[in-house]
Amino acid sequence: MKSRARHDGRRGRRPWVDLLVLGAALVGAPAAVAAGASGPAAARPAVKTGTSSAVTYQSASLNGAVNGQGQQTTYFFQYGTSTKYGSQSLPAGLAADARTAGVKSAITGLLPQTTYHFRLVAINAGGTGFGSDATFTTTAIPLSLALASLPNPVALGAPLSLVGALTGSGAPGSAIVLQQNPFPFTGGFQIVGNAGLVSPTGTFRFDLPSLAVTTEFRVVGVGPGEPVVSPTLTEFVQLAVTLSTTGRYIHGAYSTVFSGLIRPAQVGARVSIQRLVAGRWLLVAATSSRAAGPGSSVYTMGLHLRHSGLYRALAGAVEGGHVPSTSPPMAVHMGG
């Protein structure tokens, strides 16, 4: 009987235990059902603004990192001259991936020597993530020199001008010097005259009274920092060629003697007599020059002409310090 009583006592306590277990199950059931129906809520992206790289006077590459928390995510960089930003890079996307991915965007159209603020922004189904603000400063526009000449080629002994422009940050008012290296270009560049100043518009001009020989020129900036050097310009010098004629009738044909001088001397140079026909200079005959007085050579050629018209002499060069040139045209009339 005692054994049965103890058994009945245990049975008497079990309904209370069962009710507690059942109650706990009923309380937890709605939460479990709700969780199973909708799944865990999406989380917004984790975003970290990185550093800038490849910064120039007009462009930069912005870097950062995004964790899309397992959601498809779109990201872009906001940038501007203050924390109001105002511009943004082209949006790009990340596939659903819980891992952190490094991202970057290139931006252009920036102002030189300007501080920019930027931050990384990412958006997914869970919301928008913002990176912290960062800054970078664009560089100065590199200085660059351009050089040209008026005229080129230039006649022997004639004046010429060397003109150009210095562009880049701080160009106006910069000091520059002109350098030259005459043919045969073995002496190296030497300064010509005094230093000049670039105008407020960035232009400059050097006037030279004459050149005796073909010469290389360049302009060099002499301000602080790395020297700026223009490309080398070769100014070609033409030969000086003269032409004169004498003519008379001999045995019914009009005989003309063409003669002239070439400076500087070009002994053995080819000299061609040309006539203007329908807008083109056509070869009539050719000869070679010979030595004359100091610094010059001479040519002479006798021809039986059949046509009146404009004639000229074209003299070639036998050395590299000058280029071929022509005499001024001369009208030749049959019979005088």
Side-chain angles (χ1 to χ4, degrees):
M1 290 296 292
K2 291 181 179 180
S3 176
R4 182 177 181 86
R6 285 195 298 269
H7 178 72
D8 289 341
R10 288 195 300 270
R11 290 184 61 187
R13 289 193 297 271
R14 290 187 63 181
W16 295 98
V17 176
D18 293 340
L19 287 173
L20 291 173
V21 174
L22 178 60
L26 291 175
V27 171
V33 171
S38 60
R44 67 182 183 182
V47 181
K48 181 180 180 181
T49 302
T51 60
S52 60
S53 59
V55 178
T56 72
Y57 64 92
Q58 63 179 356
S59 63
S61 182
L62 307 181
N63 306 280
V66 176
N67 187 325
Q69 308 292 1
Q71 305 291 323
Q72 287 192 345
T73 302
T74 298
Y75 69 89
F76 54 87
F77 287 88
Q78 294 177 325
Y79 63 95
T81 55
S82 72
T83 52
K84 294 181 179 180
Y85 306 108
S87 299
Q88 71 176 49
S89 64
L90 292 175
L94 293 175
D97 190 344
R99 293 177 300 175
T100 300
V103 297
K104 68 167 49 180
S105 292
I107 57 174
T108 59
L110 307 179
L111 298 174
Q113 295 179 294
T114 302
T115 297
Y116 282 87
H117 293 256
F118 71 99
R119 69 179 178 183
L120 178 58
V121 181
I123 303 171
N124 67 9
T128 302
F130 296 93
S132 59
D133 181 75
T135 61
F136 67 91
T137 301
T138 52
T139 64
I141 300 176
L143 291 174
S144 176
L145 275 166
L147 181 64
S149 60
L150 300 171
N152 194 359
V154 64
L156 181 70
L160 72 150
S161 297
L162 297 167
V163 298
L166 177 65
T167 57
S169 299
S174 297
I176 54 174
V177 294
L178 178 66
Q179 297 181 340
Q180 69 177 11
N181 182 24
F183 179 83
F185 316 128
T186 56
F189 282 95
Q190 303 295 324
I191 294 177
V192 183
N194 299 319
L197 295 178
V198 177
S199 74
T201 60
T203 60
F204 58 85
R205 178 183 181 122
F206 293 94
D207 295 315
L208 300 181
S210 64
L211 279 183
V213 66
T214 294
T215 303
E216 294 179 335
F217 288 98
R218 70 183 186 185
V219 174
V220 180
V222 293
E226 291 294 324
V228 183
V229 183
S230 74
T232 298
L233 168 72
T234 302
E235 177 70 31
F236 295 96
V237 177
Q238 295 174 311
L239 298 171
V241 183
T242 65
L243 173 65
S244 62
T245 62
T246 58
R248 60 177 179 166
Y249 276 101
I250 300 177
H251 304 300
Y254 191 75
S255 179
T256 301
V257 175
F258 293 87
S259 61
L261 293 175
I262 304 171
R263 293 186 298 111
Q266 304 291 311
V267 178
R270 176 184 169 89
V271 181
S272 302
I273 302 301
Q274 300 175 326
R275 182 168 70 93
L276 184 63
V277 179
R280 298 176 58 193
W281 289 98
L282 301 181
L283 176 66
V284 176
T287 187
S288 296
S289 63
R290 61 185 187 277
S296 64
S297 55
V298 66
Y299 67 92
T300 304
M301 189 185 316
L303 297 173
H304 293 292
L305 298 184
R306 297 186 179 186
H307 304 282
S308 298
L310 285 177
Y311 288 81
R312 73 179 186 182
L314 168 64
V318 295
E319 41 77 25
H322 300 83
V323 295
S325 185
T326 62
S327 68
M330 174 174 288
V332 177
H333 298 285
M334 300 288 290

